[in-house]
Amino acid sequence: MHGQHSASQFHIEVGQSGTGFTAGDGVLLDAALAAGIPVPFSCRRGECGSCKVTVLSGSHQRQPYVAAGTPFDLAEDEMLLCQSQACSDMRVDIAGWSLQAKALRLEVRVVAKTRRNANVVGLSLMPVNGDMQVRAGQYVKFYLDDGSSRCFSVANIPAADGGKLEFHIRRVAGGRFSEQLLDGLDVGAIVSIEGAFGACTWQPGAHTALVLFATGTGYAGIKPILLAALAEPNDVPVSLYWGGAADDFYDHAWLTQLAASDARFHWVGVSAGTLQDAVTAQRHDWRTARVYACGNAAMVQALRQHCVRSGLPVHQWIAEAFVPSGSGAGAMAAESELRRGFDPVWERVGAAYSLDGMLAARAQSMRAVAQIIGKLRVGMRTSDAVAMANQHLQQMGASHTWHPTYIRFGDDTVRTPRQGVDAERCLRDTDIVVVDIGPVWDGYEGDFGDTVVFGANALYSACAQAARDVFHSTRQGWQGGLSGRALYDLAEQTAAQGGWVLERNLAGHRVADFPHALFGPAKLAEMDIVPSEAVWVLEIQLRHPTEAIGAFYEDILIGTPGQAVETAA
């Protein structure tokens, strides 16, 4: 709709959430951000389409769009928040976006406290006001009176238990929460928590077997995934391997009863030998399985190596490792040291920032790209591929995306996002494909992109590999202390040595827990600072000097890529 601009104050309601904001004579995006509503956006110039919304009611005035060939189409009932002003009260909807997906700080009351065994306490909490949206497998932060926090997995599915949150808390030597505060948490006590966090969550999808691993109270993070899996109407077998001492299997009675009532499920308590030995005896077909693991870091690393060697696709491994707070000072000190190194202007972060959050988002996005690639089919149009990818991201738990999902086939791989693509182009049986996503997981942006080749084409494969090689060579230069500008100079030289051309218009950008607008048009390739870890994305797009062949790879700059390490107890 179109209308006449007015300096009046209008109320803008977002979807059916009951949340809204007041807009005056400025653009709607600025008004929403000023009200603290984390609507998705990126370029602020009407080019990227991230802030596209559907107008459900009311009128607005559209400003002229800067880009002539945007990679999206605006229907008559759609608008861009960054280019529109309200002319009346309005109600808008943002597809694939949920206010409830962001982390929430609230108070909860202890409603039950039980001793599960000699070392593990069961704690049941109910929110005092409101509720917390928790996906199966996530964890929350418990805040201590000194402002510090401890993380514990939610051991149930709160939505199925009237909002109640269950926890299994092990007493840990040196753990301030478990040794000093837990005893004082009687029924009726009030606790402050925040969440939910974590990307090791239940993901329905195509797999012929589900294998679950846990050590100790890592079982608390696995139990809700087990519940969610068995709630699915299918015949997929589910196996649980739980490692620990002979008296560690505090939920054995419930598990045994579950196995007796559901033929799909069986479990093994492993108190002698390794989990690898126990699972090898069962002869799983790892090629079509999906695996979840939660527990100590040594177990997670050893099992991952074992399963991948046995044929498990890497993107079907979903895990979360943790270290007890009493022995995790090294990891926490490392994060503190990392944050002290941030540039005070360009690399500051907010109170919500955590290295764990960034790495969990990265891991989830890498899984998402691999799974999206696995769903691509020869003959699929670009527009259908993008729709499939967006639906997949929503199913995985992304609240929204900071930039549109980009999938480019064939000749379109040489084009940048601002140049747009042919939405009707079809994937060929021999083709090169770029997948570039920017979803937000639990408040953290997980930008990741990669290139895959369908069929056998040596030039396509060389181009895809060159993008990864140039990325890794450039990352090594960053570890050697190069500035952002010098990094892209190095990338350009490295690409040229291999016979490729670097597209410098894709020049890297900020991530972390601040909206992009706080950094305006800042590009890593134009920065003379040495970028710090886990707050900048390095983007590499290459093209052949004469042929319409391109490849793309992007990831955050981190020293040692790996899984997030969560604190517990």
Side-chain angles (χ1 to χ4, degrees):
M1 292 184 182
H2 296 268
Q4 297 301 312
H5 175 62
S6 169
S8 301
Q9 296 293 302
F10 300 114
H11 178 73
I12 314 299
E13 183 180 348
V14 182
Q16 305 291 337
S17 65
T19 297
F21 59 95
T22 299
D25 57 0
V27 296
L28 286 162
L29 175 62
D30 291 339
L33 295 175
I37 297 178
V39 295
F41 72 101
S42 184
C43 74
R44 298 180 68 96
R45 297 182 298 274
E47 297 181 10
C48 71
S50 297
C51 64
K52 181 175 70 174
V53 302
T54 300
V55 179
L56 301 178
S57 65
S59 61
H60 66 283
Q61 176 173 288
R62 296 177 179 174
Q63 293 184 342
Y65 299 123
V66 175
T70 55
F72 58 89
D73 294 318
L74 281 179
E76 187 63 25
D77 63 345
E78 293 176 335
M79 70 175 179
L80 299 180
L81 292 175
C82 74
Q83 299 292 307
S84 303
Q85 299 162 296
C87 300
S88 71
D89 291 344
M90 300 182 69
R91 187 159 64 90
V92 301
D93 182 61
I94 307 174
W97 179 77
S98 170
L99 278 171
Q100 287 73 31
K102 62 181 181 179
L104 176 68
R105 181 81 175 262
L106 50 74
E107 291 187 332
V108 291
R109 178 178 287 108
V110 178
V111 295
K113 184 178 176 182
T114 59
R115 184 172 293 279
R116 304 302 302 264
N117 67 15
N119 298 311
V120 177
V121 173
L123 203 62
S124 300
L125 308 176
M126 282 293 293
V128 176
N129 295 304
D131 59 6
M132 180 175 287
Q133 304 296 315
V134 181
R135 301 195 304 278
Q138 289 193 298
Y139 63 92
V140 303
K141 292 182 180 179
F142 282 65
Y143 280 90
L144 282 59
D145 52 11
D146 64 356
S148 63
S149 64
R150 299 292 185 269
C151 299
F152 297 98
S153 295
V154 180
N156 68 327
I157 300 178
D161 287 339
K164 181 176 65 175
L165 297 98
E166 299 280 354
F167 299 91
H168 303 161
I169 302 174
R170 179 182 296 276
R171 295 183 181 278
V172 175
R176 183 161 177 259
F177 184 92
S178 62
E179 281 204 334
Q180 301 177 30
L181 300 182
L182 185 59
D183 288 342
L185 290 181
D186 297 324
V187 172
I190 300 297
V191 181
S192 179
I193 65 173
E194 182 181 17
F197 303 102
C200 182
T201 60
W202 168 244
Q203 300 169 19
H207 52 274
T208 61
L210 185 68
V211 183
L212 310 175
F213 294 107
T215 56
T217 50
Y219 167 76
I222 290 296
K223 182 174 182 178
I225 294 174
L226 168 63
L227 291 169
L230 293 179
E232 293 287 317
N234 57 39
D235 58 357
V236 174
V238 181
S239 304
L240 167 65
Y241 300 87
W242 187 3
D247 59 351
D248 271 349
F249 310 121
Y250 52 84
D251 216 16
H252 66 90
W254 180 83
L255 289 170
T256 301
Q257 182 180 15
L258 180 64
S261 63
D262 194 322
R264 295 174 293 173
F265 173 65
H266 86 280
W267 80 284
V268 179
V270 183
S271 57
T274 67
L275 290 175
Q276 298 94 290
D277 292 337
V279 74
T280 298
Q282 301 300 316
R283 299 185 180 276
H284 293 285
D285 184 355
W286 297 107
R287 296 169 301 173
T288 56
R290 175 169 293 169
V291 175
Y292 289 86
C294 187
N296 68 71
M299 179 275 288
V300 168
Q301 182 178 11
L303 277 170
R304 183 183 188 276
Q305 293 174 350
H306 173 83
C307 293
V308 171
R309 282 199 304 264
S310 300
L312 179 77
V314 173
H315 64 276
Q316 296 288 20
W317 169 268
I318 306 170
E320 195 141 69
F322 61 82
V323 294
S325 61
S327 61
M332 297 173 71
E335 179 175 332
S336 177
E337 180 64 27
L338 175 65
R339 295 189 64 173
R340 280 199 296 272
F342 285 160
D343 181 276
V345 176
W346 290 107
E347 300 188 306
R348 65 193 189 280
V349 296
Y353 178 84
S354 79
L355 178 59
D356 289 350
M358 290 301 302
L359 294 182
R362 173 184 182 267
Q364 187 78 324
S365 287
M366 294 179 78
R367 285 194 289 269
V369 166
Q371 292 171 8
I372 288 167
I373 289 172
K375 289 184 173 183
L376 293 174
R377 297 292 181 267
V378 173
M380 180 180 284
R381 296 180 304 171
T382 300
S383 57
D384 295 331
V386 171
M388 172 275 290
N390 286 332
Q391 181 180 27
H392 187 80
L393 292 174
Q394 291 178 35
Q395 290 174 345
M396 288 184 69
S399 58
H400 56 282
T401 61
W402 279 117
H403 70 67
T405 298
Y406 300 120
I407 297 182
R408 303 192 281 278
F409 300 154
D411 292 0
D412 282 336
T413 57
V414 300
R415 301 175 67 81
T416 65
R418 292 179 185 175
Q419 294 172 321
V421 298
D422 178 0
E424 299 301 311
R425 185 183 298 277
C426 291
L427 177 60
R428 301 168 298 181
D429 56 0
T430 301
D431 216 339
I432 187 166
V433 179
V434 167
V435 178
D436 176 11
I437 64 173
V440 176
W441 314 101
D442 303 320
Y444 291 91
E445 183 179 358
D447 268 33
F448 185 73
D450 201 358
T451 304
V452 63
V453 175
F454 280 67
N457 185 301
L459 189 58
Y460 289 173
S461 296
C463 187
Q465 187 59 45
R468 302 184 193 103
D469 292 343
V470 171
F471 175 91
H472 292 301
S473 295
T474 305
R475 185 169 66 87
Q476 290 177 358
W478 162 70
Q479 290 176 306
L482 293 183
S483 69
R485 192 185 305 275
L487 286 178
Y488 276 85
D489 290 341
L490 173 62
E492 192 168 30
Q493 295 166 7
T494 305
Q497 289 170 0
W500 305 98
V501 177
L502 177 75
E503 173 57 73
R504 288 194 71 140
N505 285 336
L506 267 70
H509 60 84
R510 261 298 303 260
V511 283
D513 60 335
F514 272 3
H516 289 192
L518 295 180
F519 301 92
K523 297 178 180 178
L524 180 59
E526 299 172 358
M527 305 297 291
D528 290 318
I529 62 169
V530 177
S532 290
E533 192 169 25
V535 292
W536 288 93
V537 164
L538 176 65
E539 298 174 294
I540 299 295
Q541 178 163 337
L542 303 182
R543 61 178 174 82
H544 190 277
T546 58
E547 304 291 330
I549 301 169
F552 178 76
Y553 190 88
E554 73 169 337
D555 194 3
I556 59 173
L557 284 170
I558 51 176
T560 305
Q563 296 286 338
V565 178
E566 307 300 347
T567 57

